Amino acid sequence: MTAHEYGRADGTPPPGMQGTSPGPEPVYGSPAPAGSGPAPGNWPYGDTTGTTAGAAVGHPYGHSAGTPAEWPYDRAGAGRIPAQKTADAVSGTVPADTTDFADTTGPTGPTGGADAAGAEKKPAVPGRDRYLDLLRSIALVRVVAYHLFGWAWLSVLFPSMGVMFALAGSLMARSLNRPAVSVIKSRVRRLLPPLWVFSALMLGLLFLQGWSPAKDPDLGGRFWGPLSVFNYLVPVGAPPYPLSIGSESGWLENSWADQAAGPLWYLRAYLWFVVASPLLLWAFRRVPWATLLFPLALTAVVGTGLVTIPGELGNAVEDFAVYGGCWVLGFAHHNGMLKQIPRYAAVSGAAATMAFGLWWASGHLGPDGWDLNDIPLAQATWSFGIVVILLQYSPSWQTLPGRLAKWDKLITLSNNRAVTIYLWHNLLIMATVPILDRAYDLPFMQSDRASSWLDSTELFWQFVLVWPLIGLAILSVGWVEDLAAKRKPRLWPNGAKKKRAARAH
């Protein structure tokens, strides 16, 4: 069984859900011309051990024109260049980012300058592409809101997963300038430790409530049941859990496992894309248009009922098809293919693709109406078109402009802890329910009018309350992301300390 983003995590699934999740879509996910090296890590689960090539104007993570780039796909502090990596630089050095959701502390200034004696200037250190970081942060907020409120129109307003898979594909293409095996190992290493922490709590709660995978009739018996638990360690498939456990009157309502495990489908899809990327990139370099459009054609086959693949394999293939076009668009973004297409042609084609998606959705509405997560072909085509437009117009900011600058620290924090936010947000949304229940015991809440007011505004207060809980999760377990990236643990990586240090110099 599997769960997608399509359930509300307030303890009750949205209308039409019967404990299982429909199609894919949940949160937790940077462009450069051909010939540029790996870019900084970003969404999702990247690594930062890439080698470099010359970067040109427009490099996604703020590389200055003509500056060689060695910007891997991991999470690391911007400005730190391991000695072994500087040897890979074409000329000069650019810091290697050692995080998957890269350290987005904002642009860093030059590492030095010529002194009065005419000393040689050190190369400028590039900053992060804050436009792409902003997109990732918006995607995270949108996913939390979708899981809580269950509003179908959010899937149309901003297709979070398509955007994030595209950013991940672009970063993967850059990293694959080095040996594929090392890139895959690095991605997997950064993916698993945060998952293990979440899985430890998830399985612990399930076992405490009496669940036994060997006795679960839906898991295939004494051998296959326990074996399926392996997916909590390495998400090659869907992690098992009971659709109902405990009681409605318990401290967690009885569908909590289905809600909490909902985001885990993304990790499976991401892992599949990572493993397939060397072959996909090889094909893209030889037949770019065929590789770019193949996932949409595959979605038309497996996402419309024309061909049905049963079980979890079918869910995994469908996810791969729906978001494969966005992943390969990341390749096109990386090698500059999108920029070679006239903007009017790219936008016109994207608009036509999106129009087809909406037309298809209008005739195949699911239980929640216009929720594109229930309509694979509409989700694939709509996400594809949106991603083309966003990447065509990408301004590649080194700093957030205007009023957006006041959100810099939160955007930095959310990018540095995107895995943590994504993994834990559904469980934390459910945790707001028993907390809000205590509000009914307050002296001024004893009247029927006050109770009725709280009932009608409960979802709003859950949305307000979940963010402090997410903050506590970042403080409690977010540092595991640093350990996975082989970096010194940080409690609250919002870039403030690095900015103070930069000003001091």
Side-chain angles (χ1 to χ4, degrees):
M1 62 193 74
T2 186
H4 286 70
E5 184 195 39
Y6 318 120
R8 280 167 41 192
D10 59 351
T12 59
M17 288 191 59
Q18 301 299 326
T20 57
S21 309
E25 142 66 73
V27 70
Y28 290 139
S30 312
S36 62
N42 224 327
W43 185 265
Y45 320 112
D47 68 66
T48 57
T49 56
T51 57
T52 66
V57 176
H59 193 288
Y61 280 84
H63 296 164
S64 53
T67 304
E70 182 213 16
W71 195 264
Y73 186 21
D74 282 343
R75 260 174 234 239
R80 294 186 296 167
I81 311 173
Q84 68 270 24
K85 293 182 180 179
T86 54
D88 293 329
V90 176
S91 63
T93 54
V94 172
D97 190 356
T98 57
T99 80
D100 15 322
F101 298 72
D103 186 359
T104 54
T105 55
T108 53
T111 56
D115 57 19
E120 181 182 357
K121 290 183 179 181
K122 297 181 182 179
V125 176
R128 290 284 312 238
D129 187 329
R130 302 302 277 165
Y131 170 73
L132 299 178
D133 292 340
L134 174 64
L135 291 181
R136 189 169 301 102
S137 297
I138 292 173
L140 287 170
V141 174
R142 204 284 283 161
V143 169
V144 174
Y146 176 88
H147 280 161
L148 178 58
F149 297 107
W151 293 330
W153 55 267
L154 285 174
S155 67
V156 178
L157 177 66
F158 192 82
S160 297
M161 299 318 300
V163 171
M164 301 206 320
F165 276 121
L167 299 181
S170 180
L171 295 171
M172 189 70 184
R174 294 184 189 96
S175 290
L176 284 174
N177 286 340
R178 55 194 176 86
V181 173
S182 66
V183 174
I184 293 173
K185 287 174 60 178
S186 185
R187 296 292 190 285
V188 173
R189 188 188 73 236
R190 284 156 180 76
L191 170 66
L192 297 185
L195 172 63
W196 292 342
V197 173
F198 178 83
S199 297
L201 177 65
M202 182 89 179
L203 290 172
L205 291 175
L206 288 173
F207 293 151
L208 282 174
Q209 290 191 301
W211 178 67
S212 171
K215 298 178 181 179
D216 192 323
D218 297 327
L219 299 182
R222 292 183 176 275
F223 175 75
W224 293 110
L227 184 63
S228 65
V229 175
F230 177 76
N231 288 302
Y232 280 103
L233 303 178
V234 181
V236 293
Y241 53 85
L243 293 180
S244 178
I245 190 169
S247 66
E248 286 289 351
S249 59
W251 56 280
L252 282 175
E253 56 85 35
N254 58 4
S255 68
W256 74 266
D258 185 40
Q259 299 294 326
L264 297 183
W265 77 269
Y266 175 81
L267 277 66
R268 176 189 64 192
Y270 174 79
L271 185 61
W272 278 47
F273 279 125
V274 165
V275 173
S277 281
L279 178 59
L280 287 174
L281 188 58
W282 176 88
F284 177 76
R285 286 168 175 168
R286 284 155 182 79
V287 283
W289 284 105
T291 307
L292 187 62
L293 299 177
F294 172 75
L296 296 181
L298 181 60
T299 306
V301 174
V302 301
T304 62
L306 187 61
V307 172
T308 301
I309 303 175
E312 284 305 321
L313 178 61
N315 292 329
V317 171
E318 185 177 290
D319 293 342
F320 189 90
V322 168
Y323 296 108
C326 294
W327 187 274
V328 180
L329 273 175
F331 295 172
H333 189 211
H334 164 66
N335 79 347
M337 174 181 169
L338 286 180
K339 295 298 183 182
Q340 295 171 7
I341 303 172
R343 179 169 289 179
Y344 73 88
V347 173
S348 298
T353 304
M354 294 162 62
F356 170 82
L358 293 182
W359 170 79
W360 181 266
S362 68
H364 301 81
L365 298 180
D368 298 319
W370 283 86
D371 193 332
L372 300 187
N373 297 311
D374 300 336
I375 315 168
L377 185 57
Q379 177 73 287
T381 50
W382 180 261
S383 297
F384 188 93
I386 289 288
V387 166
V388 168
I389 294 173
L390 289 175
L391 295 184
Q392 271 283 346
Y393 282 89
S394 174
S396 199
W397 296 325
Q398 287 198 356
T399 59
L400 292 170
R403 296 181 180 180
L404 290 174
K406 66 182 180 180
W407 301 99
D408 183 83
K409 291 181 181 179
L410 286 178
I411 291 172
T412 297
L413 179 66
S414 65
N415 277 265
N416 282 328
R417 290 295 179 258
V419 182
T420 300
I421 295 170
Y422 180 73
L423 278 174
W424 291 89
H425 76 274
N426 249 18
L427 189 61
L428 295 174
I429 288 175
M430 287 186 289
T432 64
V433 176
I435 295 175
L436 284 176
D437 284 346
R438 305 282 72 81
Y440 289 96
D441 298 331
L442 296 174
F444 55 84
M445 293 298 298
Q446 300 308 307
S447 68
D448 291 340
R449 183 176 180 180
S451 297
S452 177
W453 173 80
L454 186 56
D455 289 341
S456 62
T457 59
E458 183 177 11
L459 290 179
F460 169 78
W461 293 114
Q462 283 185 261
F463 186 73
V464 171
L465 183 58
V466 72
W467 296 107
L469 295 181
I470 288 174
L472 290 176
I474 289 173
L475 289 171
S476 301
V477 299
W479 51 268
V480 176
E481 294 189 48
D482 293 327
L483 295 182
K486 295 185 176 180
R487 185 182 56 232
K488 182 179 179 181
R490 300 168 296 173
L491 289 180
W492 198 255
N494 65 353
K497 290 183 179 179
K498 289 187 178 182
K499 289 184 177 181
R500 287 195 296 268
R503 286 195 294 267
H505 289 290

